[in-house]
Amino acid sequence: MASYDVIVIGSGPGGYVCAIRCAQLGLKTACVEGRETLGGTCLNIGCIPSKALLHASHQLHEAEHNFAKMGLKGKAPSVDWKQMQAYKDDVIGQNTKGVEFLFKKNKIDWLKGWGSIPEAGRVKVGDEVHEAKAIVVASGSEPSALPGIEIDEKVVVTSEGALSLPKVPKKMVVIGAGVIGLELGSVYARLGSEVEVIEFLDHITPGMDAEVSRTFQRLLQKQGLSFTLGAAVQKVDATKTKAKVTYKLRKDDSEATVDADVVLVSTGRRPYTDGLGLEALGVKMSDRGQVETDGHWATSVPGVYAIGDCIAGPMLAHKAEDEGMAVAEVIAGKHGHVNYGVIPGVIYTHPEVANVGETEETLKEAGRAYKVGKFSFMGNGRAKANFAADGFVKILADEQTDRILGAHIIGPMAGDLIHEICVAMEFGASAQDLALTCHAHPTYSEAVREAALACGDGAIHS
Ligand code: NAI
């Protein structure tokens, strides 16, 4: 029986980051992973492969729509789907091997197989039982199924199947206008599929600032995606090559059907804790299947912690990473902390969409007086030069104190731009602090400064 200070179960961004931080803090650490490669959903079948396909398909879009305008003449490239898949697989390989390298470098043992916790202080992997002073459950999440829909990962797919379809479908129906549906829907729309998104709510991207959400939908429509909103999908009838999606319009209960070559079911994810033996162990679970934890990621069983998608909060790789680092600090007797008020969210479409903190809707609901500083990328020289002037930056600041409460960006590199606002918020900055900070010209980040200026005496270029 091998003995460890910490055994982390799951090697996704939560688990592997936690294991590395534990090792850095001098703890003898192992990480259990049953997949052939490390990195979990994010690296193998999620964030990373989808970004490879988004990048490749965006290049095609640029070639088809913008090259000629810049004097770059010639036929746009055609899609070699097999090669695009090979590129994506290579990107996955580089990233998962990178984590394996980091494990070796930090002397973390990879316990290969699926783990369970027969009792506190013990982790079973295959036939072997290992001892651990602390156990961190970082087992992640899986797509949540809808009743009446059977997933075959060929015609009716989740995000996993959608990343490796045998060919680009003629018609794709996406169920759910959330992050996954819009990112992968964008990929296939750019590659030539007719993409129809069916969404239960009357707007896309639930929880997002309403103005951004409306602009986002309009821009996606311009790119060829179509939307059926206020529609509850009832069932999907599939053969080996085709599917028929039946939905009910909420406004009048009328039923309609739509045919598709591929149906992507992207209606959310749920915690994955199967086979861990948590209930037998007495770990308290919420009625949504999440592991319940206290402010220090401790479960109801002493010595067992949980982080990432399997606990409450947004299902985001970076939230899991932060929790992974913080719980490692706690286990090492230090002070781990995550500021849940400053966790950015990004959708990697084109334009990108990014947000942090409060929305106008949440501020109104809380009855908090706020001001809005908004700046359109139309007034940003760099964006205009790069055919990227669609969208805007919106900063929400406290009416009295000017403290930044939230920010919403739709536009070029929004996912990177949001971080200067995150840093500002971590320091409790005012919009004026951002406005008084010199920003290099010409950069997209000038739009952030202009939005901050707009919270005060006004932006210059609007
Ligand atoms: P989501 O929760 O973002 O969106 C699901 C959508 O499906 C909602 O708009 C919901 O109203 C709709 N829906 C539910 N039932 C429906 C029905 N019967 N008919 C029609 N519409 C229905 O879920 P999604 O996109 O599957 O993503 C899962 C998780 O993965 C999210 O937590 C997301 O944050 C995370 N993720 C994050 C990424 C990023 O940060 N870029 C990328 C991919 C996933």
Side-chain angles (χ1 to χ4, degrees), residues 41 48 77 111 119 203 220 285 305 319 326 362 390:
T41 298
I48 296 298
L111 306 175
E119 57 185 294
H203 56 87
L220 289 171
M285 311 286 284
Y305 300 81
K319 174 258 193 189
T362 57
D390 281 327

Side-chain angles (χ1 to χ4, degrees), residues 49-283:
S50 61
K51 260 78 268 175
L53 294 183
L54 279 158
H55 177 67
S57 59
H58 178 61
Q59 302 302 313
L60 176 68
H61 176 91
E62 288 293 285
E64 285 173 343
H65 298 272
N66 292 331
F67 274 18
K69 292 183 209 158
M70 293 184 279
L72 299 169
K73 295 284 173 67
K75 262 175 71 182
S78 60
V79 176
D80 179 344
W81 182 235
K82 233 174 116 189
Q83 178 56 31
M84 202 180 281
Q85 288 284 318
Y87 149 68
K88 179 206 73 184
D89 292 340
D90 182 51
V91 170
I92 296 173
Q94 285 181 41
N95 279 277
T96 56
K97 285 200 191 77
V99 177
E100 215 175 316
F101 163 79
L102 291 173
F103 271 20
K104 284 193 187 122
K105 183 180 160 197
N106 287 285
K107 300 190 175 45
I108 297 162
D109 288 344
W110 174 3
L111 306 175
K112 292 186 188 178
W114 301 103
S116 60
I117 312 175
E119 57 185 294
R122 299 267 189 283
V123 173
K124 189 164 181 271
V125 184
D127 293 332
E128 294 202 11
V129 177
H130 306 271
E131 211 174 45
K133 289 185 198 127
I135 298 166
V136 180
V137 177
S139 51
S141 61
E142 61 177 355
S144 54
L146 279 180
I149 301 182
E150 209 169 299
I151 305 285
D152 60 18
E153 294 295 10
K154 289 189 174 75
V155 172
V156 185
V157 300
T158 65
S159 50
E160 179 172 358
L163 290 168
S164 20
L165 294 175
K167 60 176 190 219
V168 176
K170 266 209 175 87
K171 167 94 195 230
M172 174 182 258
V173 166
V174 173
I175 307 177
V179 189
I180 292 181
L182 299 180
E183 285 187 352
L184 290 173
S186 286
V187 165
Y188 285 99
R190 292 170 191 166
L191 296 177
S193 304
E194 181 193 341
V195 176
E196 178 174 346
V197 184
I198 303 178
E199 165 59 45
F200 178 79
L201 300 171
D202 294 323
H203 56 87
I204 68 169
T205 54
M208 184 183 282
D209 177 271
E211 194 182 5
V212 173
S213 171
R214 282 193 301 274
T215 307
F216 189 27
Q217 186 183 340
R218 184 174 51 74
L219 293 173
L220 289 171
Q221 278 164 343
K222 255 174 62 184
Q223 293 168 24
L225 283 88
S226 70
F227 292 89
T228 304
L229 301 178
V233 170
Q234 307 292 303
K235 61 174 180 161
V236 178
D237 299 303
T239 66
K240 278 201 172 105
T241 53
K242 290 244 170 251
K244 196 182 272 299
V245 180
T246 306
Y247 61 84
K248 212 177 230 184
L249 284 178
R250 291 197 296 136
K251 62 174 186 220
D252 56 11
D253 258 2
S254 63
E255 234 177 52
T257 60
V258 47
D259 292 324
D261 300 302
V262 168
V263 177
L264 166 61
V265 183
S266 48
T267 50
R269 297 179 65 85
R270 63 167 177 233
Y272 177 76
T273 54
D274 291 1
L276 287 173
L278 295 185
E279 290 193 13
L281 191 65
V283 172

Side-chain angles (χ1 to χ4, degrees), residues 391-415:
F392 57 86
V393 179
K394 175 159 140 180
I395 293 178
L396 307 174
D398 187 277
E399 175 70 42
Q400 266 87 46
T401 66
D402 194 38
R403 184 179 177 141
I404 301 172
L405 304 173
H408 304 274
I409 309 178
I410 176 164
M413 305 292 286

